[in-house]
Amino acid sequence: MFSLADHLLHLEGEALPRDVSTSAARALLAGGARCRAPIPGAVYGTLLNDSAALEALGDAMNAAPYKAPPRAPILYLKPRNTLAGHGARVSVPDAQGVQVGASLGIVIGRTATRVAPGEALDYIAGYALVADLSVPHESVYRPSVRFRARDGFCVIGPTVQARRHVADPDRLAIHVDVEGTPRFSANTSTCVRGVARLLADVTDFMTLSPGDVLTLGVPHGAPVVYSGARATISIADWPALAIEFIVPTAAPTSAQGAAA
């Protein structure tokens, strides 16, 4: 089982996460606390679960080699090297920038296999903000590891909200601000599969374990940022998730390595 009573927050430098009240979480974050990703399991991203994303592809959805829209969820893994928390400093690999995909993370509470849609919410421990970052690219059906699995490219938090705090996960406003200016807004209501249906369809072919996270998917039109930018991501009135985008640190040359 993976369970929480209120808000799970994992402060940087602490061995274990804290389960704290809303007011305590906000007080800690207001003090400038940085956090680790507050989840212990695997993170799975979902592609093409936004109606606007499907519409934007137009006739391409019916072209070879696939010739039809997807019939099942398209998933990809965000491996452990990508995980980061609130206040993360993420390197921007090149001049293309980084696309800031704001998504709802569904945090699994107990082993989920072949879950019925009507029972799906009972398998959820809570929800988290997920900044699913990627290098801008055109690949749709075959997400590139090089674009989506760079260090720090999955920022989660600041907290996991207990399920009881979220009345309707399929009606949540999502916002991305860059340098304090609103850059993007969306709503989970535009998803092709809502939370219960997505969980049912995914567990029809794979088991999700306690502590795993399944994202609802990145809404179409996510903004691109560049080195030096600061982004803030929010869902509803939850504590916001802050990220700083930085220039990559240069790797030492062979001569410098020998001198060290």
Side-chain angles (χ1 to χ4, degrees):
M1 291 286 291
F2 178 82
S3 62
L4 63 151
D6 216 330
H7 298 266
L8 201 65
L9 179 81
H10 197 167
L11 295 175
E12 197 171 79
E14 294 191 354
L16 297 172
R18 304 184 190 186
D19 195 340
V20 299
S21 67
T22 303
S23 59
R26 291 189 183 279
L28 287 166
L29 295 169
R34 292 182 180 275
C35 303
R36 297 169 63 181
I39 53 94
V43 180
Y44 300 94
T46 304
L47 277 178
L48 297 181
N49 194 35
D50 179 68
S51 57
L54 288 175
E55 291 172 7
L57 287 171
D59 292 340
M61 294 297 299
N62 300 309
Y66 305 103
K67 300 182 180 180
R71 296 184 178 87
I74 302 172
L75 304 182
Y76 53 92
L77 181 66
K78 300 292 281 195
R80 287 203 170 274
N81 69 293
T82 67
L83 299 185
H86 174 68
R89 296 184 176 95
V90 179
S91 295
V92 177
D94 52 41
Q96 288 180 273
V98 171
Q99 188 173 51
V100 183
S103 183
L104 176 69
I106 305 162
V107 184
I108 305 303
R110 57 192 177 102
T111 302
T113 304
R114 297 189 180 278
V115 173
E119 301 173 352
L121 298 186
D122 295 336
Y123 287 79
I124 297 172
Y127 301 93
L129 249 168
V130 178
D132 186 350
L133 309 179
S134 67
V135 175
H137 60 284
E138 298 300 324
S139 175
V140 175
Y141 284 96
R142 295 176 180 173
S144 170
V145 170
R146 182 176 181 179
F147 295 145
R148 291 188 177 271
R150 292 177 178 266
D151 294 349
F153 266 32
C154 186
V155 188
I156 302 177
T159 68
V160 176
Q161 310 267 330
R163 188 184 71 197
R164 66 185 180 88
H165 288 302
V166 183
D168 187 355
D170 294 323
R171 293 289 186 277
L172 294 173
I174 299 173
H175 301 284
V176 179
D177 293 355
V178 179
E179 302 298 339
T181 300
R183 283 281 303 276
F184 180 76
S185 294
N187 196 290
T188 57
S189 63
T190 66
C191 289
V192 177
R193 291 177 173 87
V195 169
R197 172 51 64 184
L198 179 64
L199 187 54
D201 287 354
V202 169
T203 60
D204 186 57
F205 60 83
M206 64 181 286
T207 295
L208 295 174
S209 299
D212 285 352
V213 177
L214 175 66
T215 75
L216 197 57
V218 173
H220 180 65
V224 175
V225 302
Y226 303 90
S227 299
R230 295 174 184 268
T232 303
I233 299 167
S234 60
I235 288 183
D237 61 349
W238 303 0
L241 179 64
I243 310 169
E244 181 181 353
F245 293 91
I246 62 174
V247 176
T249 302
T253 64
S254 57
Q256 288 173 326

